[in-house]
């Protein structure tokens, strides 16, 4: 067969790809192909179409590019995706590099596309992967590039084997594979979840998937043979990880070795770029770990310690940045390098049986060890995924969400309280705040006492006031960090165009000031006051998109934050409706002709802003009635230079024409009033007769079957209205003749809700102070309706006002800047620059407890940064080594010094402040560094 041309290859692959992707389903096979070879093929097939614009389909997106390269690619070479030891023509036993990124290292091809390319080019190795259901709802399709890698432990022979298996396979399938690998009788074999070499659960639900059983990457599975001595050997340990004598089988991090599964991952490295660094790490680990942890102090003199990077395992920069900030918190560095094992709480049902604390402590010790060889945090990530499946896999996550989970998890694993007492909080009942605050804190400490509480937890004063009975409720609640909003303004200006569809006035834009966190009722009230709304009128608010009404904002509790600055809003003045009233929506359309097509091929496209009028359904509505209603709605836009827009007097004098225009408006108003009121049937006949002298507008009514009814004929015919819909849709087709008689510029362009003019843009460039963010956070505001407070006096739920105050500040204050916000189920990032102090962050005036006159000063020592957008963002950390008094940038495995003035940027996300100690406080803390409450004593 003759060899195909580059253009023929491209067209063939395009057609195959479109057909294949449209039919993708669970269980289908996709194939990995190296991005390097794929890009070479793209340049080859696009060599003559470098500037071709595609049709927007997903499959053709990758076919863009173009190059002058004329050489046809050689055979497919996927060798850079796999480890050298596993390369070959067969796919059996082939291991991918652990940190491959789709779009950077490889792309995924449907089976049909791969088959065609393989037929043309051959090569390999072939790397097939299955499509599985994923996501929280298990309805999203995803290609499982990295099936689970599990370490099987056979007891009592102590044999081991590593297997790959899909997380969607069942426990039955895993059981079968284990029996085949070790040549065992299935009837004598049981398999256990052997996480951290402890028997957590017997895996006997054969139909459950490994995903549902929470089996993670690189986890251990115990294969137990139930016969003879093997049963006794294995059963000497219980499911809870304790020996027969009741003692806990605890292995200290400093004495433990990396498990075989983890060792397999480490031996392969994290990425091709980090192979040399990782081999050094293995040599260091093989020499023993005890020598690393000999010192209990924290020393960074001479850059010997504290400058160790973390390898990126694949989108784990969110984790690396948060970990580096925590391990460089001096209190944590000292605590986890000392003997903290006595405080591990394995009985806490809210904790992770101590595993998270052990993994974190082990990782911290490696990062503080001498030398700068980057550490692969794979063991820690495995433990994290075990207890927080939301962070499993290799997707990007929120660094602050991880930090919140980690602080809470470490607290529960290290909680010194083994049996939490039940304590009922008392209301303040007029008692002094100091007394109530101390009582709340004592109750909190009675249940929560750990290094995390000692260092990171503070206390709020929360005040609720009932808007009806003025009942005041004061509580004092603990906090781990502050989440501050980035919008310091409390009000917002919004522009809405108001339409009076009774023919009394032209549309007019109205700008009002509303609460930034207000509701639609606040906007409607402000607009009503501005446009002098009558007592028998109301405003119907609508969002306009694409010249159509996207939605009516009828719910008064819709938050104004859901309305974006670049949205377009219209408010329609309508009478307060009766039960049998509907909305007539007039949708404007204009004719558009395609270039190069005959003039007869006309397409009608939406145009302008829809108009809305109320229409009564108490009586029969005719086509003529709708014509008159529309005439009345459009009458303010009738051009004065051509007022005689009727079928009788087109050549009248201008004076007569002006009189006719007045008569038009009057007759239309009279007709509409009568059609709404229906008090005098004879008046309706008068209206119909007046319609004879008016030019019939090209209107089409959309009936309940979505068919269009021509309203230019049969004006006496009644119109059947849908009983289920509150809206009546009417299309007005604006021909050029009709446009000559009406000035439609008033409905053509709606202003944006908030137009960013030069003054606004200038204001946005001004830095936002961290103090302003804190003040906005502490400002009194009403509770949202979903979180209404139950008033004990009224015995009802009330939308109380809430005021927060800082009462007790922690030794380390963590501040989260809320850069990510939600709008219409989408996540947006705020790039606002926040001017945060590095030195002398003074919180004295924000602390409500005035009994202590000592200044509350803090100094920045670490922060995480987020660069880029939501889909392709990257996290780093800026950290100050306190002993060196020097700042460093931690970017995964790469560490470099930076100047202090470069610490501030618009990327700052989570800030870590440490209290500046006075002489008195410093001497006290030296005596009792981790004494309960010593760093959080009442101020």
């Amino acid at each position: 067969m003759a060899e195909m041309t580059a253009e023929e290859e491209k067209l063939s692959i395009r057609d195959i790809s479109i057909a294949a992707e449209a039919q993708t389903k669970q269980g289908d096979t996709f194939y990995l192909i190296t991005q390097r070879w794929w890009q070479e093929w793209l340049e080859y097939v696009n060599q003559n179409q470098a500037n071709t614009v595609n049709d927007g389909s997903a499959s053709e997106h990758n076919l863009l590019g173009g190059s002058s390269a004329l050489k046809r690619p050689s055979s497919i070479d996927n060798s850079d995706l796999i480890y050298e030891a596993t390369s070959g023509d067969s796919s059996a036993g082939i291991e991918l590099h652990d940190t491959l990124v789709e779009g950077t290292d490889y792309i995924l091809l449907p089976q049909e596309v791969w088959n065609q390319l393989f037929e043309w080019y051959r090569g390999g190795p072939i790397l097939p992967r299955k499509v599985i259901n994923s996501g929280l709802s298990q309805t999203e399709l995803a290609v499982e590039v990295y099936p689970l890698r599990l370490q099987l432990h056979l007891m009592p022979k102590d044999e081991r084997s590593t297997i790959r298996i899909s997380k969607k396979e069942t426990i039955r399938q895993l059981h079968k594979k284990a029996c085949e690998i070790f040549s065992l009788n299935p009837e004598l074999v049981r398999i256990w979840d052997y996480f951290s070499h402890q028997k957590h659960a017997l895996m006997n639900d054969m139909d459950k998937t490994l995903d549902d059983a929470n089996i993670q990457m690189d986890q251990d599975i115990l294969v137990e043979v139930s016969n003879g001595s093997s049963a006794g050997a294995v059963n000497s340990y219980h499911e809870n990880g304790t020996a027969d004598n009741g003692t806990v089988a605890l292995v200290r991090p400093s004495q433990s070795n990396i498990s075989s599964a983890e060792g397999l991952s480490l031996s392969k490295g994290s990425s091709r770029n980090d192979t040399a660094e990782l081999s050094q790490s293995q040599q260091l680990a093989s020499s023993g770990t005890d020598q690393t942890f000999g010192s209990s102090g924290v020393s960074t003199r001479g850059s010997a310690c504290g400058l160790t990077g973390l390898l990126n395992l694949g989108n784990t920069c969110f984790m690396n940045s948060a970990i580096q900030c925590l391990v460089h918190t001096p209190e944590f560095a000292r605590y986890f390098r000392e003997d903290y094992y006595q405080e591990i709480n394995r009985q806490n049902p809210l904790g992770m049986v101590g595993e998270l604390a052990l993994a974190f402590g082990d990782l911290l010790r490696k990062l503080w060890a001498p030398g700068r060889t980057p550490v692969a945090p794979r063991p820690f990530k495995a433990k994290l995924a075990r207890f927080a499946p939301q962070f499993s896999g290799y997707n990007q996550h929120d660094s602050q969400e991880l930090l919140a989970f980690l602080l809470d998890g470490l607290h529960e694993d290290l909680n010194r309280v083994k049996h939490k007492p039940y304590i009922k909080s008392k209301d303040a009942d007029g008692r002094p705040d100091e007394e109530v605050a101390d009582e709340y804190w004592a109750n909190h400490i009675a249940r929560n006492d750990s290094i995390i509480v000692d260092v990171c937890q503070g206390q709020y004063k929360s005040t609720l006031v009932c808007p009806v009975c003025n009942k005041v409720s004061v509580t004092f609640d603990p906090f781990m960090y502050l989440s501050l909003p980035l919008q310091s303004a409390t009000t917002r200006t919004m522009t809405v165009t108001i339409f009076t569809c009774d023919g009394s006035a032209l549309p007019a834009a109205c700008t009002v000031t509303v609460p930034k966190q207000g509701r639609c009722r606040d906007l409607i009230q402000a607009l009503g006051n501005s446009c002098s709304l009558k007592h028998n009128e109301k405003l119907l608010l609508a969002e306009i998109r694409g010249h159509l009404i996207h939605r009516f904002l009828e719910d008064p509790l819709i938050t104004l934050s859901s309305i974006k600055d670049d949205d377009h809003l219209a408010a329609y003045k309508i009478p307060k409706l009766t039960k049998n009233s509907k909305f007539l929506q007039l949708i404007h359309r204009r004719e558009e002709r395609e270039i190069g097509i005959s003039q007869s091929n006309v397409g009608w496209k939406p145009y302008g802003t829809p108009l809305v009028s109320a229409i009564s359904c108490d009586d029969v509505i005719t086509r003529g009635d709708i014509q008159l209603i529309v005439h009345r709605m459009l009458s303010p836009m009738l051009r004065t230079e051509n007022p005689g827009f009727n079928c009788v007097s087109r050549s009248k004098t201008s004076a007569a024409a002006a009189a006719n225009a007045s008569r038009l408006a009057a007759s239309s108003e009279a007709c509409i009033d009568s059609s709404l009121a229906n008090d005098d049937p004879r008046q309706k006949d008068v209206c119909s007769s007046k319609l004879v002298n008016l030019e019939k507008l090209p209107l089409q009514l959309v009936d309940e079957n979505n068919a269009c009814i021509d309203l230019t004929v049969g004006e006496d015919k009644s119109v059947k209205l849908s009983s289920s819909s509150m809206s009546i849709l009417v299309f007005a087709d604006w021909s050029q003749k009709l446009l000559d008689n009406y000035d439609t510029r008033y409905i053509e362009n709606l202003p944006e809700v908030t137009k960013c003019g030069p003054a606004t843009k200038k204001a946005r460039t001004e830095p936002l102070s961290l103090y302003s963010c804190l003040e906005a956070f502490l400002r009194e505001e009403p509770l949202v309706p979903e979180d209404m407070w139950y008033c004990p006096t009224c015995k009802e739920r009330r939308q109380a006002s809430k005021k927060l105050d800082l009462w007790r500040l922690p030794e380390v204050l963590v501040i989260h800047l809320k850069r990510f916000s939600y709008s219409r189920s989408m996540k947006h990032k705020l790039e606002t620059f926040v001017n945060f102090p590095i030195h002398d962050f003074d919180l004295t005036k924000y602390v409500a407890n005035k009994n202590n006159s000592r200044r509350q000063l803090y100094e920045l020592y670490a922060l995480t940064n987020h660069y880029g957008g939501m889909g392709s963002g990257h996290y780093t950390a800026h950290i100050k080594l306190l002993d060196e008094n020097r700042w460093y940038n931690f970017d995964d495995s790469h560490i470099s010094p930076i100047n202090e003035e470069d610490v501030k940027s618009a990327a700052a996300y989570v800030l870590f402040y440490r209290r500046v100690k006075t002489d008195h406080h410093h001497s006290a803390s030296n005596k009792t560094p981790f004494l309960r409450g010593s760093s959080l004593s009442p101020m």
Side-chain angles (χ1 to χ4, degrees):
M1 186 176 71
E3 187 176 278
M4 299 180 70
T5 65
E7 181 65 20
E8 289 172 337
E9 284 190 13
K10 183 177 76 170
L11 294 177
S12 176
I13 292 298
R14 183 194 64 181
D15 295 340
I16 296 174
S17 180
I18 293 174
E21 291 186 7
Q23 302 174 8
T24 299
K25 60 184 181 301
Q26 181 184 4
D28 286 352
T29 302
F30 274 67
Y31 290 78
L32 278 75
I33 190 170
T34 177
Q35 173 70 24
R36 173 186 49 77
W37 189 93
W38 176 253
Q39 188 61 39
E40 184 180 349
W41 182 79
L42 289 180
E43 293 174 353
Y44 165 68
V45 298
N46 286 306
Q47 55 185 318
N48 295 322
Q49 297 183 358
N51 299 318
T52 300
V53 178
N54 66 13
D55 62 0
S57 66
S59 60
E60 284 196 81
H61 176 73
N62 287 330
L63 296 178
L64 292 178
S67 173
S68 59
L70 300 176
K71 184 179 178 182
R72 190 171 188 266
S74 57
S75 61
I76 299 171
D77 181 12
N78 284 335
S79 60
D80 53 350
L81 302 181
I82 63 175
Y83 293 106
E84 294 181 4
T86 62
S87 61
D89 294 333
S90 172
S91 63
I94 291 180
E95 281 287 335
L96 296 178
H97 284 288
D98 287 339
T99 56
L100 299 178
V101 178
E102 183 180 359
T104 301
D105 300 308
Y106 69 90
I107 66 165
L108 292 166
L109 299 178
Q111 182 170 2
E112 295 83 352
V113 176
W114 167 263
N115 289 343
Q116 185 62 75
L117 288 174
F118 187 74
E119 180 182 339
W120 293 337
Y121 293 94
R122 296 295 170 183
I126 302 173
L127 304 172
R129 291 296 186 268
K130 292 292 184 182
V131 175
I132 62 173
N133 284 329
S134 64
L136 293 177
S137 61
Q138 295 294 308
T139 58
E140 302 174 11
L141 295 179
V143 178
E144 190 178 30
V145 177
Y146 291 98
L148 292 176
R149 180 173 51 214
L150 304 178
Q151 182 79 14
L152 304 182
H153 297 257
L154 177 63
M155 290 296 182
K157 293 184 178 181
D158 197 24
E159 295 181 10
R160 301 181 184 185
S161 179
T162 302
I163 67 168
R164 283 280 190 179
I165 185 171
S166 171
K167 64 182 179 180
K168 294 302 179 181
E169 292 284 8
T170 63
I171 292 175
R172 177 179 288 103
Q173 194 66 25
L174 175 61
H175 183 274
K176 179 181 178 181
K177 287 193 175 186
C179 294
E180 291 174 352
I181 290 172
F182 295 118
S183 301
L184 302 174
N185 183 351
E187 297 180 358
L188 302 177
V189 173
R190 296 189 300 176
I191 57 176
W192 295 79
D193 180 346
Y194 200 46
F195 182 75
S196 291
H197 289 198
Q198 295 180 26
K199 294 171 65 176
H200 282 270
L202 176 64
M203 301 172 67
N204 56 1
D205 187 349
M206 293 298 176
D207 294 326
K208 180 183 286 188
T209 66
L210 300 180
D211 192 19
D212 292 336
N214 199 18
I215 302 301
Q216 302 294 328
M217 180 72 73
D218 290 329
Q219 192 167 318
D220 297 296
I221 301 295
L222 179 65
V223 181
E224 178 186 52
V225 182
S226 301
N227 66 337
S229 60
S230 62
V234 176
N235 291 333
S236 61
Y237 286 93
H238 301 300
E239 288 80 353
N240 60 6
T242 61
D244 285 332
N245 59 9
T247 60
V248 177
L250 174 63
V251 181
R252 289 190 176 187
S254 60
Q255 299 172 343
S256 64
N257 294 322
I258 299 174
S259 68
S260 299
E262 294 161 352
L264 175 65
S265 299
L266 284 173
S267 66
K268 297 178 186 306
S270 174
S271 67
R272 295 174 301 287
N273 296 329
D274 298 319
T275 303
E277 294 177 332
L278 205 52
S279 62
Q280 297 175 18
S281 176
Q282 292 166 352
Q283 293 172 7
L284 180 64
S286 64
S287 64
T289 55
D290 287 349
Q291 61 182 352
T292 301
F293 311 135
S295 173
S296 62
V298 179
S299 173
T300 60
R301 290 290 181 196
S303 301
C305 301
L307 291 176
T308 303
L310 286 167
L311 293 176
N312 192 319
L313 305 179
N315 282 328
T316 56
C317 57
F318 76 96
M319 181 182 74
N320 293 349
S321 60
I323 288 175
Q324 291 286 15
C325 289
L326 288 182
V327 301
H328 284 86
T329 299
E331 292 80 359
F332 293 155
R334 185 186 309 115
Y335 177 84
F336 284 99
R337 286 166 63 89
E338 293 177 347
D339 188 7
Y340 68 95
Y341 316 113
Q342 303 300 325
E343 295 193 342
I344 290 179
N345 188 339
R346 285 186 173 271
Q347 286 74 45
N348 188 352
L350 300 178
M352 291 77 177
V353 294
E355 295 290 344
L356 187 65
L358 289 170
F360 179 79
D362 188 40
L363 181 58
L364 181 144
R365 292 176 176 229
K366 291 177 181 177
L367 292 175
W368 276 103
R372 299 188 183 181
T373 303
V375 174
R378 191 169 287 105
F380 176 81
K381 187 178 186 301
K383 297 286 176 68
L384 180 69
R386 169 74 177 186
F387 298 107
Q390 65 269 30
F391 297 119
S392 62
Y394 295 96
N395 294 325
Q396 184 69 277
H397 296 282
D398 191 322
S399 180
Q400 188 272 334
E401 291 179 2
L402 169 75
L403 181 68
F405 172 82
L406 192 52
L407 286 173
D408 188 62
L410 290 174
H411 159 65
E412 297 295 354
D413 268 4
L414 298 168
N415 197 344
R416 303 172 185 122
V417 179
K418 299 300 189 286
H419 303 285
K420 296 187 178 184
Y422 172 74
I423 303 174
K424 185 176 181 181
S425 299
K426 301 176 184 178
D427 201 354
D429 289 332
R431 292 183 293 160
D433 283 347
E434 292 77 12
E435 178 184 338
V436 180
D438 288 349
E439 181 181 281
Y440 269 86
W441 187 252
N443 293 344
H444 175 65
I445 291 296
R447 294 172 53 85
N448 302 276
D449 183 15
S450 70
I451 179 62
I452 305 299
V453 174
D454 293 344
V455 175
C456 290
Q457 285 199 354
Q459 191 178 28
Y460 289 133
K461 175 187 176 183
S462 177
T463 306
L464 292 172
V465 180
C466 177
V468 177
C469 69
N470 293 322
K471 163 70 177 176
V472 179
S473 175
V474 178
T475 58
F476 293 84
D477 304 310
F479 68 87
M480 192 90 74
Y481 52 86
L482 302 180
S483 288
L484 305 187
L486 297 191
Q487 297 89 351
S488 60
T490 59
T491 59
R492 175 187 183 187
T493 59
M494 301 183 73
T495 300
V496 180
T497 304
I498 298 179
F499 295 84
T500 54
C501 297
D502 59 356
S504 61
L506 286 167
C510 182
T511 301
V512 295
T513 301
V514 293
K516 193 176 186 68
Q517 303 301 325
R519 308 274 172 171
C520 273
R521 62 188 176 195
D522 301 313
L523 176 58
I524 292 174
Q525 181 178 356
L527 291 171
N529 295 336
S530 179
C531 70
S532 303
L533 198 66
K534 298 177 183 178
H535 72 279
N536 62 341
E537 293 177 324
K538 76 171 189 176
L539 290 177
L540 181 62
L541 198 63
E543 180 184 347
I544 309 301
R545 288 192 194 178
H547 308 291
L548 300 173
I549 294 178
H550 174 67
R551 59 169 175 163
F552 284 111
L553 303 173
E554 295 181 280
D555 185 352
L557 298 180
I558 293 176
T559 59
L560 296 181
S561 60
S562 67
I563 301 173
K564 297 190 296 185
D565 288 347
D566 56 354
D567 284 344
H568 302 272
L569 297 185
Y572 301 98
K573 269 188 181 181
I574 59 173
K576 291 182 177 178
L577 300 179
T578 62
K579 289 184 178 180
N580 295 323
S581 297
K582 292 182 180 292
F583 298 128
L584 187 150
Q585 291 186 36
L586 183 65
I587 310 298
H588 311 284
R589 300 193 301 187
R590 289 187 66 173
E591 56 184 355
E592 292 186 4
R593 295 182 175 87
E594 298 184 32
I595 299 176
I597 305 299
S598 65
Q599 294 298 311
S600 62
N601 193 345
V602 177
W604 293 94
K605 303 293 183 183
Y607 156 74
T609 306
L611 301 179
V612 175
S613 180
I615 182 170
S616 174
C617 302
D618 288 331
D619 201 357
V620 176
I621 305 297
T622 66
R623 300 181 183 182
D625 294 333
I626 296 178
Q627 281 276 351
L628 286 171
I629 292 173
V630 175
H631 266 290
R632 181 185 182 187
M633 296 166 70
L634 299 177
S635 61
M637 296 187 296
L638 193 64
R639 296 184 186 274
T640 56
E641 64 271 15
N642 190 14
F645 186 42
N646 56 63
C647 56
V648 177
S649 53
R650 287 212 174 263
S651 59
K652 289 183 178 181
T653 63
S654 58
N660 188 57
S662 300
R663 181 185 62 79
L664 169 63
S667 62
S668 297
E669 185 173 355
C671 290
I672 302 305
D673 290 342
S674 65
S675 66
L676 288 173
N678 293 310
D679 290 334
D680 188 356
R682 292 174 298 175
Q683 182 66 27
K684 194 168 185 179
D685 296 334
V686 175
C687 292
S688 298
S689 64
K690 290 179 179 178
L691 182 62
V692 176
N693 292 327
L694 296 176
E695 181 77 10
K696 293 179 181 178
L697 298 171
L699 305 178
Q700 296 188 60
L701 172 72
V702 180
D703 65 10
E704 57 185 357
N705 298 319
N706 289 328
C708 290
I709 301 174
D710 188 356
L711 300 181
T712 60
V713 296
E715 61 269 14
D716 294 330
K717 289 185 178 181
S718 63
V719 176
K720 184 178 180 181
L721 303 179
S722 172
S723 59
S724 60
S725 176
M726 282 296 295
S727 296
I728 304 169
L729 295 182
V730 175
F731 291 122
D733 293 336
W734 288 85
S735 62
Q736 188 57 50
K737 182 179 73 172
L738 197 60
L739 290 171
D740 292 339
N741 291 282
Y742 286 92
D743 188 355
T744 59
R745 61 182 174 176
Y746 299 102
I747 63 170
E748 285 182 353
N749 297 307
L750 285 183
E752 295 179 351
V753 167
T754 303
K755 185 66 176 177
C756 296
T760 308
K761 289 182 178 179
K762 182 179 179 180
R764 287 186 173 185
T765 62
E766 297 177 1
L768 178 63
S769 167
L770 184 61
Y771 291 107
S772 299
C773 298
L774 181 60
E775 290 164 2
F777 172 74
L778 299 176
R779 189 176 291 117
E780 182 178 0
E781 61 182 13
L783 295 174
V784 296
E786 306 89 68
D787 297 329
M788 288 199 298
W789 171 61
Y790 180 81
C791 176
T793 303
C794 298
K795 306 297 182 184
E796 290 186 22
R797 301 188 71 82
R798 301 295 189 189
Q799 191 174 11
S801 61
K802 183 176 183 179
K803 174 73 170 70
L804 288 178
D805 291 290
L806 300 178
W807 186 266
R808 190 183 307 257
L809 294 179
E811 194 69 21
V812 170
L813 178 63
V814 181
I815 295 179
H816 163 226
L817 302 178
K818 297 174 69 173
R819 293 201 174 277
F820 303 119
S821 60
Y822 292 89
S823 175
R824 296 198 185 99
S825 301
M826 294 183 64
K827 207 171 185 181
H828 304 273
K829 182 187 175 186
L830 301 175
E831 300 285 355
T832 308
F833 174 77
V834 178
N835 186 17
F836 51 89
I838 296 178
H839 305 283
D840 297 331
F841 181 35
D842 193 349
L843 298 176
T844 306
K845 71 175 184 178
Y846 299 102
V847 177
N849 183 2
K850 303 303 180 183
N851 281 356
N852 193 303
S853 59
R854 181 166 54 89
R855 293 181 67 190
Q856 304 297 319
L857 291 179
Y858 284 82
E859 180 175 346
L860 187 75
Y861 71 93
L863 69 154
T864 64
N865 303 291
H866 182 272
Y867 300 94
M870 291 302 304
S872 57
H874 180 62
Y875 288 95
T876 67
H878 292 336
I879 296 171
K880 182 178 183 180
L881 266 63
L882 299 181
D883 286 349
E884 291 187 10
N885 194 29
R886 188 173 187 181
W887 284 90
Y888 289 88
N889 177 47
F890 285 71
D891 185 356
D892 290 329
S893 59
H894 306 288
I895 302 173
S896 57
I898 58 171
N899 297 321
E900 185 172 275
E901 55 267 25
D902 296 329
V903 169
K904 294 183 182 182
S905 74
Y909 185 42
V910 181
L911 310 174
F912 290 75
Y913 282 94
R914 190 166 183 254
R915 187 195 298 276
V916 177
K917 302 187 190 304
T918 61
D919 292 339
H920 171 73
H921 190 269
H922 188 269
S923 61
S925 63
N926 282 341
K927 294 178 182 179
T928 54
F930 297 116
L931 186 63
R932 178 195 306 173
S934 63
S935 60
L936 292 169
S937 56
M939 293 176 288

